[in-house]
Amino acid sequence: MQEFVFKNQSLNGNVKSLNKISKKLDEILEDAGFTDVNSKLTKEHYYTFSLDKETSKDIKSYINDFTKASLFNQVFISKSKLGDRINLFGQTILANEIDDIDDFLKLHSNFSLVDTLPITIATINDDKIEEWLDNILDKNKDNLISNTYLYNELAMVLQIWAVEHNMDPNKLVKKLYNAVKYNTLRKQIVAEKVYNDPRSLLVDSQLMVLNDHHIYTAEPTIVNGLIDQFLPDSKFDNIMNARKNVHAQLMDSKFENDKLDDGFKSPNQSITIQSDGNIQIASPLVGKMENYVNVDYIDIDKDSKLKASEEYKQVIQFLTHISGGKLEQLLYMLGFIPLQNTGIMAKVRRFFILLGVPGAGKTVLVSLLEKIFNNTQSNTSSILTSESNVNKALTDPNLIDANDTKKGQLTLWFDDFQTDSQNNAISSKAGTAINGIISGKTMSGAAKFQQYHDVKLPSLIVIATNALPQIRQLGTADRMFVFDCNNKLYDGVNIPNDDAATWINNKKVQKVMFYLIIKYASKLVTMSKQDLGLIFSQENSAQSSLSNINSSLLEFLEAQHITCPFDLIGMGTSNLFETYKNHTHLVAASYRTFKDQIKSLGLKFQRKHFQGNYYSNVIVSGNKALDNGKMKDMLVKYAVLPDKLFNYETSDTYTLDHWHENFVIYREEQGKNKQNSKLFVPFNFND
């Protein structure tokens, strides 16, 4: 426009006179409502400032002198009208507006015109100096970098304030210095650009960005890719610090947080479940959904061919098998996957154990779910946790952040369950975390760019395992719901050619599974708390038959002075089990599960020939010298055989502490072997 008006260049072959151009512009402005020259410009106001003599008497003289010097012989330009005010030092500042600036400057040649207002007239609320400084920095982004006088004035104001309020002057001045030296003001501009970009969304103070599937994700590579587009490469020596700064700036309250819609996007549709249970299908561009699926939803009830297909029968047969006959409960459990943000798990207050013999198909189930829900372009799973060790995954802040629902995580599914304990136990700390997660509470997580922030984890927790874990916390054990599968996959399910991998990749199989998940999710949202409680009651759980061995075994061992796995070597399992039942009063306890718990301690069972008799299921370590030596010691010193678990001298039937005999000797002899050394590690009864 400037070139067009003032330089009178040739445009499209026509040369227009300056007069014609000016006349045309006047007509345009007149049509827009500008009727005079002054109305075409932003009106500026001109002020001189001075201290009120009466009120300044109560202020220290050096502060009065400083303020007077900062205002002396200067006319300040303001884009808005100003009035008298009390500044941050408690001084009353009088504002004198100048009507005719040209006449004033002719009469006062010793005055200079300044286009920024002085820092010394700024007010403060509730003596919150750091908030005041943030506000000054925000309003003077460009001037503080280019205007040395303004920078120095602000630095001196901060020092005076600190001295008068018994603060460390260096703290405030350093904040100002860092703002200019490290370009945090310019980075603030970057944060604003990132926030205003149509591809970004701020959810619970966490930046999310659209990925290739047109869904929002907090995946660091996607998020930082957008930030990097706004970072001038030549200006930043350390791009990591630049990214970190942008994330920190977005925590400012001036950036409003948005909310993600619940639901899923497929390549051709978006799927949401309404509060009345209706399944809504729409265009994939509707809403701001955070999750993606690789199959479209098909109402199989209206598709007679698919419902009558072999794939439908196979999926139902497979789920019946892996659930141990609790098909309805397993389908409802899978129905929780699309309902992460509805708070429904807080009504159910359950987490799930998928217990099964090796080869039962637990990994097949989770692999099928991954085929349906995983982002095919990402190496991470939205179903499996990033760490299979339950105790670590639920207590390490970095691992907690990795499983954030805003990063697309749908479940906390632990396949091939592991703990960091030799006795296969979920710690008390992890148990407390489980109780909070299924109740919808946030946890504290730590990411590379966002230390110590609230993280929402998926409320559906599934632990797939071959052996029931011990749970130290009674409140956690009471919230456990167990599915128990005793048969291998191919013994009970007709999967073509016994080829699970090909079956999982079958699109029809995936569509059937996704249909069932959405169908049961829609049923769940309309259920009352009482109905939900009936579905997942202990009577419907395999836990009732498995008993509470997992939570009571450690207490039993501690009470009987059994301090480590070594103490159990040489005992007959059936007799130990009866002793355990008598101690805990668990009449319906499962012998098979009890043996699984003993196995989890690193021990084995063997039929032993000893002193002319055969004893079945004797607990051994697998080391012949250690096993036979231990049994011989018990016979010689206490006249105890594997089928007798008491001291003949005292007739104390439930005292087993004699099995610690010669512990030190065997530890020195056998402890050098890494495998054997684990037998001598004491149980942690305090965890």
Side-chain angles (χ1 to χ4, degrees):
M1 177 64 77
Q2 181 183 17
E3 186 177 43
F4 180 80
V5 174
F6 298 108
K7 293 187 179 179
N8 199 21
Q9 294 289 329
S10 173
L11 300 172
N12 297 324
N14 297 319
V15 178
K16 297 184 179 181
S17 69
L18 187 59
N19 183 50
K20 287 183 179 180
I21 294 170
S22 180
K23 185 178 179 182
K24 183 63 177 175
L25 287 174
D26 284 340
E27 290 174 1
I28 294 171
L29 291 170
E30 189 174 347
D31 289 341
F34 295 97
T35 56
D36 58 74
V37 174
N38 289 332
S39 68
K40 299 172 188 175
L41 303 171
T42 303
K43 183 172 176 56
E44 293 181 330
H45 303 272
Y46 302 89
Y47 291 94
T48 59
F49 298 104
S50 60
L51 285 178
D52 178 57
K53 292 181 180 179
E54 287 299 318
T55 57
S56 62
K57 292 177 182 178
D58 300 327
I59 307 298
K60 290 182 179 179
S61 59
Y62 87 95
I63 300 178
N64 283 334
D65 292 341
F66 171 75
T67 304
K68 288 177 183 177
S70 72
L71 306 175
F72 185 67
N73 285 359
Q74 296 179 86
V75 177
F76 299 94
I77 303 173
S78 173
K79 293 180 181 179
S80 59
K81 290 187 70 69
L82 301 175
D84 299 342
R85 80 264 318 278
I86 296 176
N87 72 356
L88 78 165
F89 295 139
Q91 298 165 310
T92 300
I93 306 295
L94 303 176
N96 176 43
E97 185 170 8
I98 300 168
D99 294 327
D100 193 328
I101 186 62
D102 293 328
D103 288 345
F104 180 88
L105 292 177
K106 287 177 184 178
L107 296 173
H108 302 84
S109 58
N110 57 333
F111 273 72
S112 57
L113 202 59
V114 182
D115 61 359
T116 56
L117 294 175
I119 298 297
T120 49
I121 73 166
T123 58
I124 190 170
N125 294 322
D126 302 323
D127 286 346
K128 295 180 179 179
I129 189 63
E130 296 209 15
E131 288 185 12
W132 179 89
L133 177 56
D134 289 337
N135 187 46
I136 293 294
L137 292 172
D138 188 50
K139 289 180 178 178
N140 296 275
K141 293 173 184 174
D142 301 319
N143 289 334
L144 276 169
I145 295 172
S146 59
N147 190 328
T148 305
Y149 177 83
L150 183 65
Y151 175 88
N152 289 335
E153 182 187 26
L154 178 54
M156 294 175 73
V157 166
L158 294 173
Q159 291 178 72
I160 293 172
W161 171 273
V163 170
E164 292 300 313
H165 290 80
N166 298 316
M167 291 178 63
D168 179 6
N170 292 329
K171 180 181 178 182
L172 295 174
V173 176
K174 186 176 181 180
K175 184 173 183 178
L176 169 63
Y177 173 77
N178 288 339
V180 176
K181 178 172 176 61
Y182 298 111
N183 284 334
T184 53
L185 297 179
R186 292 178 186 172
K187 292 174 188 176
Q188 175 72 49
I189 296 171
V190 173
E192 290 173 349
K193 289 179 179 177
V194 171
Y195 175 78
N196 291 321
D197 190 284
R199 294 166 292 177
S200 71
L201 202 66
L202 199 63
V203 179
D204 298 333
S205 297
Q206 186 164 28
L207 184 64
M208 303 188 74
V209 174
L210 282 174
N211 65 11
D212 292 340
H213 291 311
H214 201 77
I215 60 169
Y216 285 93
T217 177
E219 188 65 34
T221 53
I222 305 294
V223 172
N224 291 327
L226 177 64
I227 293 174
D228 291 350
Q229 294 178 27
F230 296 99
L231 298 178
D233 297 336
S234 60
K235 299 292 184 181
F236 296 97
D237 297 328
N238 191 333
I239 195 169
M240 303 294 280
N241 286 337
R243 291 171 178 171
K244 184 177 180 180
N245 184 273
V246 170
H247 283 283
Q249 294 288 358
L250 289 170
M251 299 294 286
D252 194 306
S253 59
K254 75 176 184 179
F255 295 112
E256 295 183 3
N257 279 265
D258 211 323
K259 187 179 183 298
L260 286 168
D261 301 328
D262 295 326
F264 290 82
K265 289 182 186 290
S266 78
N268 306 302
Q269 60 187 204
S270 61
I271 308 105
T272 56
I273 300 172
Q274 308 298 312
S275 58
D276 59 1
N278 287 330
I279 300 166
Q280 186 75 36
I281 307 297
S283 157
L285 299 179
V286 171
K288 302 183 291 293
M289 297 174 187
E290 61 186 309
N291 298 309
Y292 179 83
V293 286
N294 299 306
V295 295
D296 292 328
Y297 172 79
I298 297 175
D299 189 345
I300 294 179
D301 288 328
K302 298 177 181 178
D303 188 334
S304 56
K305 288 184 179 179
L306 192 54
K307 193 160 188 176
S309 68
E310 279 301 311
E311 285 82 1
Y312 185 89
K313 295 175 185 176
Q314 290 162 5
V315 170
I316 295 297
Q317 191 181 40
F318 168 70
L319 293 176
T320 303
H321 160 80
I322 199 68
S323 68
K326 305 290 183 182
L327 174 63
E328 185 181 39
Q329 283 74 25
L330 183 64
L331 285 168
Y332 277 118
M333 184 198 84
L334 295 175
F336 288 127
I337 295 175
L339 303 176
Q340 289 304 309
N341 298 316
T342 61
I344 193 169
M345 287 302 298
K347 297 179 183 178
V348 179
R349 303 275 285 169
R350 286 282 182 268
F351 73 101
F352 301 89
I353 303 289
L354 200 59
L355 181 66
V357 297
K362 299 183 294 295
T363 301
V364 172
L365 175 57
V366 78
S367 298
L368 178 55
L369 294 174
E370 285 187 301
K371 284 290 181 182
I372 295 169
F373 292 105
N374 273 9
N375 182 347
T376 55
Q377 298 177 354
S378 172
N379 293 324
T380 58
S381 173
S382 61
I383 299 295
L384 282 175
T385 59
S386 56
E387 166 61 57
S388 59
N389 185 312
V390 175
N391 295 331
K392 289 181 182 178
L394 300 183
T395 56
D396 184 309
N398 288 287
L399 295 174
I400 289 170
D401 178 79
N403 292 314
D404 193 344
T405 56
K406 291 192 289 297
K407 292 183 177 175
Q409 195 70 24
L410 296 171
T411 74
L412 292 177
W413 195 298
F414 299 89
D415 198 37
D416 289 332
F417 157 78
Q418 296 176 30
T419 67
D420 50 5
S421 173
Q422 63 173 348
N423 48 8
N424 192 36
I426 295 176
S427 69
S428 297
K429 191 173 181 181
T432 301
I434 289 173
N435 297 344
I437 293 165
I438 61 180
S439 301
K441 294 181 180 178
T442 58
M443 296 189 69
S444 182
K448 186 177 291 184
F449 302 114
Q450 295 172 297
Q451 297 295 324
Y452 310 113
H453 58 284
D454 287 343
V455 172
K456 184 72 178 295
L457 292 178
S459 52
L460 176 59
I461 301 175
V462 181
I463 298 175
T465 177
N466 299 331
L468 197 69
Q470 298 173 31
I471 299 179
R472 301 286 173 77
Q473 205 171 60
L474 185 61
T476 306
D478 288 343
R479 295 183 174 100
M480 176 175 64
F481 189 96
V482 181
F483 298 98
D484 187 18
C485 177
N486 294 316
N487 301 311
K488 291 185 179 294
L489 175 61
Y490 300 122
D491 294 341
V493 182
N494 184 27
I495 290 178
N497 302 317
D498 290 350
D499 186 354
T502 303
W503 186 71
I504 289 168
N505 285 311
N506 185 327
K507 277 294 179 184
K508 280 189 178 180
V509 171
Q510 295 172 18
K511 287 179 180 179
V512 170
M513 178 65 86
F514 186 57
Y515 157 77
L516 291 170
I517 290 170
I518 296 297
K519 177 182 177 180
Y520 277 83
S522 70
K523 289 183 177 183
L524 283 167
V525 296
T526 60
M527 282 188 178
S528 67
K529 186 176 181 179
Q530 289 73 21
D531 290 338
L532 289 167
L534 289 173
I535 293 171
F536 297 108
S537 67
Q538 297 291 10
E539 287 73 19
N540 286 325
S541 170
Q543 183 183 1
S544 57
S545 60
L546 295 171
S547 80
N548 281 325
I549 285 179
N550 58 319
S551 59
S552 61
L553 180 62
L554 201 66
E555 180 271 331
F556 165 71
L557 298 178
E558 182 179 17
Q560 302 307 321
H561 308 291
I562 298 173
T563 61
C564 62
F566 166 83
D567 294 355
L568 294 167
I569 293 174
M571 295 184 187
T573 312
S574 59
N575 297 79
L576 180 64
F577 177 62
E578 291 303 317
T579 306
Y580 161 79
K581 281 203 303 181
N582 290 334
H583 174 85
T584 58
H585 306 293
L586 292 172
V587 180
S590 162
Y591 180 56
R592 182 178 72 84
T593 305
F594 181 79
K595 288 181 68 177
D596 286 343
Q597 295 297 297
I598 299 299
K599 278 183 182 179
S600 73
L601 303 178
L603 296 167
K604 302 175 182 178
F605 306 99
Q606 210 173 70
R607 188 168 185 263
K608 296 284 289 185
H609 182 260
F610 185 67
Q611 294 292 305
N613 292 313
Y614 282 98
Y615 301 93
S616 62
N617 284 317
V618 176
I619 300 173
V620 298
S621 67
N623 181 319
K624 195 171 183 180
L626 174 60
D627 300 335
N628 292 343
K630 179 82 181 295
M631 291 173 66
K632 185 177 180 181
D633 288 343
M634 295 305 298
L635 178 64
V636 170
K637 189 156 187 178
Y638 300 107
V640 175
L641 294 167
D643 60 345
K644 302 293 181 183
L645 297 181
F646 57 89
N647 182 351
Y648 283 99
E649 293 179 4
T650 63
S651 298
D652 189 352
T653 308
Y654 305 120
T655 299
L656 307 177
D657 56 334
H658 293 96
W659 260 262
H660 202 65
E661 179 68 25
N662 288 335
F663 169 82
V664 175
I665 294 173
Y666 285 110
R667 184 178 62 186
E668 291 177 356
E669 289 179 356
Q670 307 288 341
K672 295 175 184 177
N673 182 298
K674 198 169 186 180
Q675 186 63 33
N676 287 341
S677 64
K678 295 179 181 179
L679 301 171
F680 302 95
V681 177
F683 298 124
N684 183 3
F685 294 117
N686 296 319
D687 189 359

